[in-house]
């Protein structure tokens, strides 16, 4: 069955398609679409997992993740031919929730697999590139599968559909990015105060070149933008506090939100001393997570640094709907991080990895 479903390409949806479907959502149509699309997306990435270098594939952690995918694949397949009766629709919904919970810790578990592999043997040069290639595709696929599951379970799950018409599933229509900028800043600041007994202030400036004087509103997934901003604020605060331990005046973090024709850009500027140009690319690497691995500290002192996966995965969230993140550091002064989000929802298409001969040839070549 894996071979059967992996021969289909995943079908990318745009935010506009998510919206149009969600506005007058029909559970039966969603069920018929997902019972095919989810196995296609799962099978595509499971074929890539099987192509991983043995030293990684054989680790306990990757074995665990691989089993979760196989089990979830089987569970969705049970609905392949079932009638869309009310009870089957309910069973399908609870199966999706069960699958989402099973895969909650995939990121940490994969990170642990990389650590296990590093401990077991030294890394051949080509390996780092193929693991970077794989993890970018693997996490992008995971983001897309969780997006489909969230849309279905929010639209048709038990939870009473939120009355405020602003939401369609996890997409917000009339979304003010300032709200999530403040949210992410406050939460990062809380951790910063705990770690450094202080934190930089924030200044938010808006430029709406398209509708002068109007507040900037976008159609986006707030939780995705939150994930990106929380990560960037943590990094900025860490750099600023590390370089201003002694001095009593801490320079603020400046956020500029700009509404352009193609993109809405959110620039985060700090005076954290910046990093050497040669080190910037390392920040996006899964293998060279800069941060020391968090000790099993008690829950309320969540370390400011995670597994060093925050930035690469944040970039995937930005790229998922064809946006991006750019890091522009001036060593000796500070760093600008720019988040680009597609402004028009019909251009914001899912960016999905496709398993085919080219991608599998990549693995053979680089191992
Ligand atoms: O997720 C995690 O675990 C956190 C993983 C990440 O942890 C980092 C972190 F938060 C902040 C920095 C950092 C530094 C720094 O640290 N500068 C001092 C140094 C000087 C020399 C060299 C060198 O020679 O290599 C490196 C750094 N300067 O600017 C940034 C900076 C980085 C990003 Cl992505 C950002 O959005 C804003 C920033 O201000 C580096 C990190 F790596």
């Amino acid at each position: 069955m894996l071979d059967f479903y992996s021969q289909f390409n995943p079908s990318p949806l745009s935010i506009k398609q998510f919206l149009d479907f969600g506005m007058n959502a029909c559970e039966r149509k969603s069920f018929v679409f997902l019972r095919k699309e989810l196995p296609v997306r799962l099978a595509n990435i499971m074929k890539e997992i099987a192509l991983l270098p043995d030293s990684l594939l054989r680790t306990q952690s990757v074995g665990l993740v691989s089993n979760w995918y196989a089990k979830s694949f089987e569970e969705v397949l049970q609905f392949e031919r079932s009638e869309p009766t009310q009870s089957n629709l309910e069973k399908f919904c609870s199966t999706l929730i069960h699958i989402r919970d099973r895969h909650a810790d995939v990121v940490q578990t994969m990170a642990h697999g990389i650590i296990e592999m590093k401990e077991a043997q030294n890394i051949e040069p080509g390996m780092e590139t193929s693991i970077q290639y794989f993890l970018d595709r693997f996490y992008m696929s995971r983001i897309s599968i969780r997006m489909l599951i969230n849309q279905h379970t929010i639209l048709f799950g038990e939870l009473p559909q939120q009355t405020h018409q602003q939401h369609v599933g996890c997409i917000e229509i009339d979304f003010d990015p300032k709200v999530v900028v403040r949210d992410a800043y406050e939460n990062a600041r809380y951790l910063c105060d705990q770690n450094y007994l202080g934190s930089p202030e924030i200044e938010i400036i808006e430029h709406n070149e398209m509708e002068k004087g109007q507040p900037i509103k976008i159609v986006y997934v707030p939780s995705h933008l939150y994930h990106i901003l929380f990560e960037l604020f943590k990094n900025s605060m860490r750099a600023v506090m590390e370089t201003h331990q002694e001095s009593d005046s801490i320079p603020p973090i400046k956020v500029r939100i700009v509404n352009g024709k193609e993109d809405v850009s959110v620039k985060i500027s700090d005076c954290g001393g910046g990093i050497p140009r040669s080190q910037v690319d390392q920040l996006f690497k899964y293998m060279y997570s800069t941060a020391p691995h968090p000790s099993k500290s008690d829950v309320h002192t969540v370390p400011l640094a995670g597994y060093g996966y925050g930035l690469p995965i944040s970039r995937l969230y930005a790229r998922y709907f064809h946006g991006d993140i750019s890091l522009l550091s001036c060593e000796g002064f500070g760093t600008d991080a720019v988040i680009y989000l597609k402004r028009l929802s019909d251009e914001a298409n899912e960016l999905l990895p496709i398993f085919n001969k080219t991608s599998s040839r990549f693995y053979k070549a680089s191992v």
Side-chain angles (χ1 to χ4, degrees):
M1 288 310 273
L2 203 53
D3 293 335
F4 173 72
Y5 279 97
S6 62
Q7 69 189 341
F8 296 97
N9 286 347
S11 11
L13 297 173
S14 68
I15 289 189
K16 189 173 180 318
Q17 284 172 293
F18 276 117
L19 285 181
D20 293 346
F21 177 78
M23 295 297 208
N24 46 8
C26 159
E27 186 166 1
R28 203 176 41 72
K29 278 198 201 120
S30 183
F31 166 73
V32 169
F33 170 70
L34 287 181
R35 72 170 173 190
K36 171 83 183 312
E37 185 61 21
L38 286 174
V40 167
R41 296 193 185 191
L42 289 166
N44 269 265
I45 206 63
M46 285 164 73
K47 292 294 273 186
E48 290 208 21
I49 295 175
L51 287 174
L52 279 173
D54 276 353
S55 51
L56 182 56
L57 192 54
R58 271 203 248 271
T59 59
Q60 200 183 358
S61 304
V62 175
L64 193 58
V65 169
S66 189
N67 289 341
W68 291 339
Y69 272 78
K71 220 181 287 176
S72 303
F73 180 71
E74 291 309 323
E75 281 173 6
V76 178
L77 279 194
Q78 283 161 4
F79 295 90
E80 198 180 22
R81 283 182 185 48
S82 50
E83 282 307 306
T85 61
Q86 192 46 39
S87 71
N88 282 342
L89 292 179
E90 276 159 24
K91 256 187 261 156
F92 183 68
C93 214
S94 51
T95 301
L96 294 188
I97 291 169
H98 181 63
I99 289 171
R100 183 178 57 203
D101 296 344
R102 174 186 292 135
H103 291 246
D105 297 339
V106 157
V107 175
Q108 296 90 312
T109 312
M110 283 309 279
H112 204 265
I114 301 281
I115 295 166
E116 283 169 46
M117 179 188 70
K118 277 185 183 177
E119 281 156 0
Q121 65 176 34
N122 57 2
I123 308 295
E124 282 111 50
M127 191 146 354
E128 207 255 308
T129 321
S130 72
I131 285 172
Q132 184 74 20
Y133 175 81
F134 165 76
L135 287 176
D136 270 344
R137 295 161 65 84
F138 176 70
Y139 289 129
M140 185 66 94
S141 155
R142 180 173 184 270
I143 289 169
S144 81
I145 289 167
R146 294 179 83 78
M147 178 74 190
L148 294 184
I149 290 178
N150 287 337
Q151 285 306 94
H152 187 85
T153 53
I154 294 171
L155 289 172
F156 310 113
E158 286 80 51
L159 296 180
Q161 179 57 285
Q162 287 106 343
T163 45
H164 39 79
Q165 67 289 356
Q166 265 16 6
H167 282 83
V168 176
C170 56
I171 300 171
E172 200 166 319
I173 302 176
D174 202 21
F175 171 50
D176 176 354
K178 267 199 315 302
V179 168
V180 93
V181 165
R182 284 204 194 87
D183 225 9
Y185 167 77
E186 288 305 332
N187 290 338
R189 174 186 210 177
Y190 176 77
L191 293 182
C192 185
D193 285 332
Q194 289 216 316
N195 283 272
Y196 297 99
L197 302 178
S199 54
E201 291 301 322
I202 188 172
E203 287 171 21
I204 305 179
I205 301 173
E206 282 202 346
H207 281 269
N208 194 340
E209 294 310 304
M210 302 302 285
E211 297 103 20
K212 290 218 183 287
Q214 301 293 323
I216 295 174
K217 295 296 183 80
I218 57 176
V219 180
Y220 201 66
V221 183
S223 60
H224 289 186
L225 184 55
Y226 175 86
H227 185 110
I228 299 168
L229 287 163
F230 183 56
E231 185 56 34
L232 295 176
F233 279 131
K234 280 193 295 180
N235 294 346
S236 285
M237 289 180 185
R238 178 167 147 182
V240 168
M241 296 315 284
E242 292 289 339
T243 48
H244 290 82
Q245 296 282 35
E246 295 66 44
S247 68
D248 48 5
S249 73
I250 301 173
I253 296 175
K254 294 184 179 162
V255 180
R256 197 176 287 271
I257 307 175
V258 181
N259 187 13
K261 234 194 336 292
E262 184 177 312
D263 290 324
V264 170
S265 316
V266 181
K267 178 161 77 168
I268 298 170
S269 307
D270 67 52
C271 306
I275 35 179
R277 206 155 40 95
S278 59
Q279 301 304 311
V280 170
D281 290 349
Q282 300 298 87
L283 289 171
F284 288 103
K285 296 258 186 323
Y286 295 98
M287 295 280 280
Y288 298 95
S289 57
T290 44
H293 299 296
S295 56
K296 292 275 166 276
S297 52
D298 39 336
V299 67
H300 72 271
T301 63
V302 171
L304 199 55
Y307 278 87
Y309 270 20
L311 205 57
I313 289 187
S314 293
R315 186 166 63 175
L316 294 178
Y317 273 113
R319 288 179 170 176
Y320 172 54
F321 281 125
H322 277 79
D324 207 348
I325 291 183
S326 285
L327 266 196
L328 317 154
S329 197
C330 295
E331 184 196 1
F333 176 72
T335 302
D336 284 3
V338 187
I339 310 165
Y340 300 102
L341 304 174
K342 276 275 180 208
R343 199 169 65 82
L344 304 173
S345 56
D346 57 343
E347 288 177 9
N349 291 293
E350 285 182 293
L351 177 66
L352 302 180
I354 294 189
F355 175 75
N356 53 24
K357 276 189 277 316
T358 337
S359 56
S360 45
R361 209 174 294 133
F362 178 92
Y363 287 106
K364 294 215 181 16
S366 61
V367 170

